[in-house]
Amino acid sequence: MPNASARPKNSGRRSHRRPREDPARNQLVSSSLESAQQCLFNQDYGPAFVHYLLVLNVAPEFKEFAKESFRFTLFKWAEELDSAGRIQDIFSCYEQALELFPADEVILNNVGEQLFRMGFRDEAARHFFKALKLKPDYVEARENFYRVANWLVERWHFLMLNDQGRNRKYQQAIQKAVHGGCTSVLDIGTGTGILGMCAKKAGAAEVYACELSKTMYELACEVVAANGMGGAIKILHKKSLDMEVPKDIPHRVSLVVTETVDAGLFGEGIIESLIHAWRHLLLPPPTGETASGDPSATGRVIPAGATIYAVAVECLEIRRHNKLCVSEVGGLSMAAASERLRSPVSCTADAFEVTEPYTTERLGRLPGGYVQLTEPVTVLQIDFNNVEELEGLSSRMVQRLRVPVVREGKLDALAVWFNLHLDQESSLSTGPHEDTCWEHAIYPEHTSKGFLLKTGDELLVDVSCRETYLHLHSMAVTRNGRHVRLDTAADLRDPEAELCSALACLQTRTDICLLDYSEMALLNNERYHRSFAAALSELVTRLKAEPPTPGEPADPFYVLDVLEGFSMLSLVAAAQGGVRAYSSVEKSRQQEVLKRLARANGVPDDSLEFWVNRDDYQMGALQRPSREKLWSAILLDCVETCGLIRQKLMEKASLARCLLERGGRIFPQKIVVLGTLVESDTLLMESAVQGLDATLGFNIAPFINQFTVPVHVFLELSTLACRRLSEPTELFVLNLMDTNANYDEREVQVLTTSAGRITAVPFWYDIHLDDENIVSTLAPDSHWKQAAVVLQRPLEVAEGEQITLVVKIRNSSISIEVRKDI
């Protein structure tokens, strides 16, 4: 803490005139400093912060002197405000702090962390990035920036910019339109600005662009300026729906270019944005009278339209992420909940609490593959140059398609892709056999028991467009002249069966419990739950065998489950007998499911409790509700679904060890990090823009590659296109039960098994619950994905060459340096 009687040194130029002293000011500064220090000593951080603000505003010469104490006070006061839910006050304090210290990398980093926790990823990234520019070796800011960069500049940006075929086709279509008379252009959702630059390079007289993301807007401005078009392309940080003529652009344009499409074509709002463009920003489309007139007097859109296709598929990977596939979990029957659990994706008219009608996957990368049960069928054709068709899309009558089944199998989903027609001659396909940056829209089938399609069936699929989404719903099949419902297998022509089905749906609709895809896959992971049940049983058996303390009654064993999301492990523990388990499941419907399962499996009511007043950042979740007792077991969440170690894991483990009773245990007790050397051009393409050729010669790579992160997440190693250059190797060990066994850095020697280029080091984990029970995140039934450190410069190696990996873990983040031994 600063000494109140000290005075900062005068670091300015020597003055010939002695400044006039202001006794009142000096007294105010001195007394406020003393008050700040006293409040800090008493841990009264709010008043201390106010006193420091007063001192530093009145006497700026004290900034360097008081900076460390001011930071400490600010962060402590922000923690108190956060715990009290006073979010507006937090940002007010940070705003005042940055007015005093606008170039303080530590304050900027903390502001970014607060913003990221609240979901403001764009703003968080800007603060982390600014902190890194001020101090490039600031480790905390760099790790934070890497985490948020995955959200801001999604990996498909790199794939798209590396897709030379796609970029060339867009360039040719734009060039043809501009040469045909479309001299004023608007690029909607410009991203890096590449389509707008294509228009300008083709000779367009006026080019405008808009971008909603602040991060991408700033990036586009940098890219356009670096390519010598800064004064020729006007970029607006704005949603196209908010643009007006002449406020934002001087007049209507003759060409709109855009690629605001997702896997389901309409999910990024292309229909809404094009309707608005036709009504307010674009010249009218050609009519019979204007078709042969001046092309610059009419408007058009690139892409001109699209054709959407669908196919029914059988796929175990899709199935286990969307519905319950097991009858038991950790020895507990799931019959009482089998009809109530499902993923949050549905296209039914009575879809409950559903956010979107589809999820996305790359069909070619699904573990275990998939089987097409029907031939692809055309679902919808749309003309983006017909505004009446666009406006009528949402009010179209539901179209029922009859899709012949050509192969027997379980119906798990409808998979959708599209052809994007850039103009009359050129198209882009996102089909499953194309190598593109797009994923495929997956419409899962939720029938709990699964419906077996047979050759000769006709699958009935209802198609509609509601709320700017494409909706596909498989409702029935036609078999031997009868319509059979998928959910009940009842004959639709049987009124009694239809009535019973409707009543059953009405009764269970409000009981549906939605689980995230990863939560559903976890629930279906039998090996995971079987291993946990065995480890918990061994611990409880051992603790029961220990002689009780004389004179004290036998207490139950207390188990705390603090895993993220929906977890069955608290119920698995409670079923051991003589255990009182605490669950951190927060959602009321998920709690009801656990209670229902507890009753159905004969678990006493007082053996399972819910405890939701937890604070992840203060780690208060590990404190005992009843302080006179310690935990027999604490179940920690160690690995994120994306393949990274959870943040603050070791801090939580350290606190958990202090709260264990004698003989108690943390689950898992240790984590072994495993890895291998691979050569994979796919990982390079998904991690950074490779050179200038793919981006049509435009200088984009240095700017977008600022958002390259060294660790690639949500990786499916079993289907990754790669060559293995080594055997799996143990890289690191994190011991959660013995802090003395841990280290921060380790060198690992790896022998190459093949010659090639090392482009990445994929890694995964063996999670040791105890000495006997191990769960691997690489297992085929794992709900976890893997991650990989991608090298900035590939390393050429020969077969049998020894490679050194320098593995570091800091704040739960893994970094790997690869070098050849000399």
Side-chain angles (χ1 to χ4, degrees):
M1 294 182 190
N3 186 340
S5 63
R7 289 287 183 268
K9 295 178 180 179
N10 184 2
S11 59
R13 292 185 299 173
R14 184 178 301 172
S15 174
H16 295 287
R17 179 183 297 178
R18 183 183 179 84
R20 180 178 295 178
E21 290 288 335
D22 184 344
R25 171 185 175 278
N26 291 345
Q27 178 59 37
L28 176 63
V29 170
S30 179
S31 62
S32 292
L33 264 179
E34 290 177 1
S35 297
Q37 289 179 327
Q38 187 59 45
C39 290
L40 207 53
F41 180 79
N42 296 330
Q43 299 183 0
D44 199 356
Y45 300 116
F49 178 72
V50 173
H51 284 301
Y52 273 125
L53 281 180
L54 177 61
V55 170
L56 299 177
N57 277 293
V58 173
E61 65 269 20
F62 276 85
K63 282 185 179 180
E64 284 304 312
F65 175 72
K67 183 165 67 173
E68 290 297 328
S69 296
F70 176 73
R71 280 177 179 168
F72 178 79
T73 305
L74 168 65
F75 301 153
K76 285 295 185 181
W77 179 227
E79 286 179 4
E80 288 189 12
L81 292 173
D82 195 16
S83 63
R86 296 169 58 183
I87 305 303
Q88 190 61 45
D89 290 336
I90 294 174
F91 288 114
S92 177
C93 290
Y94 278 128
E95 185 178 341
Q96 294 174 82
L98 286 174
E99 286 177 1
L100 291 168
F101 299 97
D104 189 296
E105 71 279 358
V106 179
I107 295 176
L108 284 165
N109 181 65
N110 275 57
V111 176
E113 288 180 343
Q114 183 70 42
L115 287 164
F116 185 67
R117 285 199 294 270
M118 296 179 60
F120 298 108
R121 295 163 182 158
D122 211 331
E123 290 299 317
R126 294 177 63 232
H127 282 80
F128 296 143
F129 195 51
K130 190 172 181 180
L132 277 176
K133 283 195 171 183
L134 290 166
K135 188 177 181 183
D137 60 346
Y138 187 12
V139 176
E140 286 79 6
R142 185 171 66 247
E143 290 173 353
N144 282 329
F145 179 71
Y146 286 159
R147 282 184 179 267
V148 75
N150 272 313
W151 295 99
L152 285 178
V153 182
E154 296 182 80
R155 303 305 94 186
W156 58 259
H157 277 284
F158 298 113
L159 271 177
M160 182 182 70
L161 291 168
N162 283 320
D163 188 344
Q164 188 170 9
R166 169 258 182 204
N167 296 335
R168 185 68 64 191
K169 284 188 176 182
Y170 253 103
Q171 183 187 45
Q172 290 169 351
I174 292 171
Q175 187 177 55
K176 189 188 305 181
V178 171
H179 290 174
C182 296
T183 59
S184 55
V185 181
L186 171 62
D187 179 4
I188 294 179
T190 192
T192 59
I194 188 171
L195 298 186
M197 291 191 295
C198 284
K200 194 62 192 175
K201 187 175 180 180
E206 301 169 84
V207 179
Y208 308 95
C210 62
E211 175 58 53
L212 181 60
S213 163
K214 180 69 171 176
T215 300
M216 294 306 297
Y217 160 75
E218 292 176 347
L219 178 66
C221 290
E222 288 184 305
V223 169
V224 168
N227 285 274
M229 301 181 187
I233 300 177
K234 180 183 178 182
I235 305 178
L236 295 90
H237 176 220
K238 209 165 194 178
K239 194 174 185 179
S240 70
L241 297 176
D242 298 328
M243 290 178 62
E244 301 174 14
V245 173
K247 178 182 175 182
D248 299 300
I249 55 177
H251 50 76
R252 290 178 178 244
V253 297
S254 52
L255 176 64
V256 160
V257 295
T258 188
E259 199 182 36
T260 50
V261 296
D262 71 338
L265 188 62
F266 303 141
E268 287 191 14
I270 190 172
I271 298 300
E272 189 179 12
S273 64
L274 288 183
I275 290 173
H276 177 269
W278 278 116
R279 292 306 184 196
H280 303 284
L281 307 174
L282 255 173
L283 290 166
T287 62
E289 298 177 356
T290 62
S292 59
D294 183 3
S296 64
T298 60
R300 59 177 293 193
V301 174
I302 295 176
T307 303
I308 305 175
Y309 303 94
V311 66
V313 299
E314 178 181 50
C315 178
L316 177 59
E317 185 72 4
I318 293 175
R319 185 187 314 157
R320 72 188 190 93
H321 278 83
N322 287 280
K323 61 185 177 184
L324 187 66
C325 303
V326 296
S327 58
E328 286 190 355
V329 171
L332 300 172
S333 170
M334 295 297 293
S338 61
E339 299 293 334
R340 293 174 171 81
L341 296 170
R342 68 175 213 199
S343 71
V345 179
S346 177
C347 276
T348 57
D350 60 348
F352 184 67
E353 285 185 7
V354 172
T355 56
E356 291 186 357
Y358 54 83
T359 182
T360 61
E361 297 282 359
R362 283 196 187 161
L363 289 175
R365 291 198 192 178
L366 286 169
Y370 68 97
V371 176
Q372 288 192 11
L373 305 180
T374 67
E375 295 294 341
V377 61
T378 299
V379 170
L380 184 71
Q381 291 181 306
I382 185 73
D383 182 357
F384 293 146
N385 285 301
N386 187 329
V387 67
E388 287 77 18
E389 184 176 333
L390 296 173
E391 289 179 327
L393 190 62
S394 61
S395 59
R396 279 188 184 183
M397 295 288 291
V398 175
Q399 178 188 8
R400 177 161 293 178
L401 301 179
R402 306 174 73 91
V403 187
V405 176
V406 297
R407 183 168 181 171
E408 182 174 309
K410 278 190 175 181
L411 175 63
D412 289 317
L414 295 173
V416 165
W417 65 92
F418 55 86
N419 283 357
L420 203 60
H421 309 301
L422 302 183
D423 54 26
Q424 292 182 343
E425 290 81 29
S426 182
S427 293
L428 294 170
S429 173
T430 69
H433 303 298
E434 303 289 338
D435 185 17
T436 74
C437 58
W438 281 286
E439 295 184 321
H440 306 107
I442 304 297
Y443 296 77
E445 166 55 43
H446 288 292
T447 305
S448 60
K449 296 180 181 179
F451 192 92
L452 184 67
L453 295 180
K454 298 182 178 180
T455 305
D457 287 349
E458 279 190 326
L459 181 63
L460 305 183
V461 179
D462 285 351
V463 181
S464 61
C465 293
R466 307 192 309 270
E467 299 171 352
T468 71
Y469 284 110
L470 175 68
H471 292 253
L472 271 66
H473 173 46
S474 310
M475 60 163 297
V477 299
T478 299
R479 177 176 294 167
N480 299 325
R482 298 185 304 116
H483 288 341
V484 182
R485 287 182 61 100
L486 299 183
D487 53 356
T488 62
D491 191 335
L492 288 184
R493 294 183 302 180
D494 183 345
E496 184 176 348
E498 180 69 9
L499 178 61
C500 291
S501 172
L503 290 174
C505 290
L506 184 65
Q507 187 175 14
T508 60
R509 178 180 166 188
T510 57
D511 291 336
I512 292 296
C513 177
L514 302 180
L515 300 184
D516 186 69
Y517 314 109
S518 59
E519 292 174 331
M520 187 62 76
L522 169 60
L523 202 56
N524 286 318
N525 190 337
E526 293 182 275
R527 188 176 340 194
Y528 171 93
H529 290 97
R530 188 166 58 246
S531 298
F532 258 106
L536 285 167
S537 176
E538 187 277 332
L539 174 64
V540 171
T541 300
R542 178 170 56 78
L543 292 175
K544 286 179 179 179
E546 295 181 0
T549 303
E552 290 189 9
D555 283 334
F557 302 107
Y558 289 88
V559 175
L560 173 63
D561 173 7
V562 289
L563 273 70
E564 297 288 331
F566 183 79
S567 170
M568 285 279 294
L569 296 183
S570 55
L571 184 55
V572 171
Q576 301 296 323
V579 171
R580 180 166 293 172
Y582 285 79
S583 169
S584 59
V585 169
E586 299 181 8
K587 295 180 181 179
S588 58
R589 289 198 178 174
Q590 294 182 358
Q591 291 181 2
E592 287 302 317
V593 167
L594 288 176
K595 291 176 184 176
R596 185 189 297 268
L597 289 171
R599 289 193 295 269
N601 285 276
V603 177
D605 291 342
D606 61 353
S607 294
L608 178 65
E609 298 188 30
F610 296 95
W611 185 28
V612 298
N613 60 334
R614 60 198 190 98
D615 186 342
D616 288 337
Y617 297 103
Q618 300 300 319
M619 293 183 288
L622 302 180
Q623 300 292 341
R624 278 282 294 117
S626 177
R627 294 183 180 177
E628 67 274 9
K629 295 293 182 183
L630 294 174
W631 297 106
S632 303
I634 297 178
L635 283 55
L636 293 182
D637 209 351
C638 299
V639 179
E640 296 182 32
T641 308
C642 67
L644 298 178
I645 296 172
R646 287 204 177 272
Q647 288 186 303
K648 299 188 178 180
L649 171 62
M650 300 312 291
E651 291 94 326
K652 286 189 176 183
S654 179
L655 177 58
R657 286 193 298 270
C658 299
L659 299 173
L660 290 175
E661 67 171 310
R662 184 172 58 85
R665 183 179 296 166
I666 297 172
F667 290 103
Q669 67 179 19
K670 71 176 180 180
I671 300 172
V672 177
V673 186
L674 303 169
T676 189
L677 307 177
V678 302
E679 177 179 351
S680 174
D681 288 334
T682 298
L683 284 180
L684 289 179
M685 293 292 186
E686 292 180 356
S687 300
V689 173
Q690 308 293 317
L692 295 176
D693 291 342
T695 53
L696 311 176
F698 293 120
N699 186 21
I700 296 177
F703 303 95
I704 188 73
N705 286 350
Q706 293 179 94
F707 294 89
T708 295
V709 296
V711 179
H712 187 103
V713 295
F714 285 110
L715 180 66
E716 187 59 66
L717 189 54
S718 65
T719 59
L720 175 68
C722 68
R723 289 181 59 238
R724 305 288 181 97
L725 302 180
S726 76
E727 296 294 333
T729 304
E730 180 180 299
L731 302 180
F732 215 85
V733 177
L734 293 172
N735 196 312
L736 276 62
M737 284 294 293
D738 183 4
T739 185
N740 295 320
N742 289 313
Y743 40 84
D744 296 323
E745 180 177 333
R746 183 187 182 205
E747 288 193 1
V748 181
Q749 308 301 318
V750 181
L751 201 65
T752 60
T753 55
S754 299
R757 296 178 306 140
I758 302 174
T759 60
V761 184
F763 59 90
W764 61 95
Y765 313 95
D766 276 355
I767 300 175
H768 293 247
L769 305 179
D770 54 21
D771 294 334
E772 303 295 330
N773 295 283
I774 303 172
V775 176
S776 173
T777 65
L778 192 62
D781 55 357
S782 171
H783 63 287
W784 289 290
K785 301 298 184 182
Q786 295 82 52
V789 173
V790 182
L791 277 60
Q792 289 187 345
R793 295 182 181 85
L795 183 64
E796 292 279 354
V797 294
E799 182 180 351
E801 194 166 1
Q802 185 164 284
I803 302 299
T804 297
L805 305 181
V806 182
V807 187
K808 301 177 184 178
I809 295 187
R810 180 184 172 89
N811 297 332
S812 301
S813 295
I814 295 178
S815 65
I816 302 175
E817 176 190 342
V818 182
R819 66 171 186 244
K820 286 186 180 183
D821 291 340
I822 299 176

